[in-house]
């Protein structure tokens, strides 16, 4: 039973436009949400996070939005650049265990930025 | 640079022949995780060590074991690999007990092929 769902396996966006990646979760205990980026033959790298006490977090071209009532978060990348082409994983954590219990991941969305 | 290093990057084994994957870290993090990722699937947490305390996920098969002889190293042992164990194995580290960020640091992964 998937607790973190990324329903779009792939997304194609033109360079310079906005990329929006979506993620849904089912576990109400999740209180930290993260996005990871993965290039082929490399490990995932942290991109941006948000805690459940916020509804928006911004870092340069990347913004994450959290809608707790809908159990939905999204990652916005604007403007999209060719180097953004990668697989993006949504991940969530229940921090009630002190932050050691690890992350639950979605299946990922392959973002392709077209020139 | 501080990092998480996994060896080997690629491992080929025969059905039923034990294999060990290693992970080392220079981040001095107190938590080390092992994830299994099959093609187009979400990374799945197998177990983690919080300092010397081993924490097994409920659905991790007994075929998978782990050792953490010291802070820097963690090993994944697959006692009798089956064809279904072919996957990418990702090691990650995290820091627990302080301000919670949820961020994990991943190695580049070890890809296991079972013949």
């Amino acid at each position: 039973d998937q607790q973190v769902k990324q329903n779009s396996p792939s997304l194609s966006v033109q360079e310079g436009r906005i990329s929006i990646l979506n993620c849904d979760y089912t576990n109400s205990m999740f209180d930290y949400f993260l996005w990871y980026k993965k290039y082929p033959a490399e490990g995932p790298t942290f991109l941006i996070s948000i805690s459940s006490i916020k509804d928006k977090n911004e870092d340069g071209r990347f913004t994450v939005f959290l809608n707790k009532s809908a159990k939905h978060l999204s990652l916005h990348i604007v403007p999209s650049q060719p180097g953004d082409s990668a697989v993006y994983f949504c991940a969530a954590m229940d921090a009630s265990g002190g932050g050691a219990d690890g992350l639950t991941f979605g299946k990922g969305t392959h973002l392709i930025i077209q020139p | 640079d501080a990092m998480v290093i996994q060896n080997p990057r690629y491992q080929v084994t025969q059905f039923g022949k034990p294999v060990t994957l290693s992970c080392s870290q220079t981040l001095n993090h107190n938590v080390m995780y092992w994830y299994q990722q099959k093609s187009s699937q979400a990374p799945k947490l197998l177990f983690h060590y919080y300092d010397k305390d081993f924490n097994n996920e409920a659905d991790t098969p007994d075929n998978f074991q782990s050792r953490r002889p010291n802070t820097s190293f963690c090993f994944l042992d697959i006692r009798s690999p089956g064809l279904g164990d072919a996957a990418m194995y990702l090691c990650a580290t995290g820091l627990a007990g302080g301000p919670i960020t949820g961020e994990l640091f991943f190695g580049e992964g070890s890809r296991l092929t079972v013949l």
Side-chain angles (χ1 to χ4, degrees):
Chain A
D1 183 30
Q2 272 190 280
Q3 298 186 65
V4 177
K5 299 177 184 179
Q6 294 178 257
N7 291 322
S8 297
S10 65
L11 176 67
S12 184
V13 175
Q14 250 188 328
E15 181 179 357
R17 306 292 288 266
I18 183 170
S19 295
I20 300 176
L21 295 92
N22 293 301
C23 178
D24 297 294
Y25 63 95
T26 58
N27 188 341
S28 300
M29 295 299 293
F30 288 149
D31 47 9
Y32 278 84
F33 304 89
L34 302 90
W35 286 93
Y36 279 78
K37 180 179 181 180
K38 185 181 184 303
Y39 292 118
E42 295 184 10
T45 56
F46 170 76
L47 190 59
I48 192 169
S49 65
I50 189 167
S51 78
S52 58
I53 62 172
K54 295 185 175 182
D55 54 18
K56 178 183 174 181
N57 188 27
E58 197 170 351
D59 184 2
R61 296 186 297 115
F62 303 92
T63 303
V64 56
F65 296 91
L66 175 62
N67 182 334
K68 280 187 297 183
S69 60
K71 292 190 176 68
H72 177 82
L73 63 154
S74 60
L75 174 67
H76 293 211
I77 306 172
V78 55
S80 300
Q81 299 175 353
D84 296 330
S85 295
V87 177
Y88 289 78
F89 289 99
C90 175
M93 182 176 78
D94 171 2
S96 61
D101 291 339
L103 300 174
T104 300
F105 284 87
K107 290 185 178 182
T109 296
H110 185 194
L111 177 64
I112 302 161
I113 306 301
Q114 295 186 333
Chain B
D1 282 345
M3 52 178 48
V4 181
I5 299 172
Q6 292 188 240
N7 281 299
R9 293 289 310 277
Y10 301 92
Q11 175 73 59
V12 180
T13 189
Q14 290 182 329
F15 183 95
K17 187 173 182 181
V19 66
T20 294
L21 307 177
S22 76
C23 178
S24 65
Q25 56 128 343
T26 58
L27 297 161
N28 206 31
H29 284 169
N30 52 8
V31 192
M32 294 186 78
Y33 305 85
W34 280 103
Y35 281 85
Q36 178 194 61
Q37 187 187 14
K38 297 184 178 180
S39 180
S40 302
Q41 297 296 312
K44 179 180 179 300
L45 182 63
L46 295 174
F47 27 56
H48 73 273
Y49 270 96
Y50 185 168
D51 292 324
K52 294 182 180 180
D53 293 333
F54 178 69
N55 298 271
N56 201 27
E57 294 298 301
D59 56 354
T60 298
D62 292 340
N63 197 26
F64 293 87
Q65 304 284 321
S66 186
R67 298 169 281 137
R68 189 180 186 187
N70 54 53
T71 301
S72 301
F73 283 87
C74 195
F75 299 96
L76 169 62
D77 300 307
I78 308 176
R79 294 192 298 186
S80 181
L83 297 178
D85 297 328
M88 175 71 82
Y89 290 89
L90 294 164
C91 173
T93 71
L95 199 56
I100 294 174
T101 66
E103 184 178 351
L104 301 187
F105 295 79
F106 283 85
E108 293 184 318
S110 293
R111 180 165 294 284
L112 176 68
T113 300
V114 182
L115 300 178

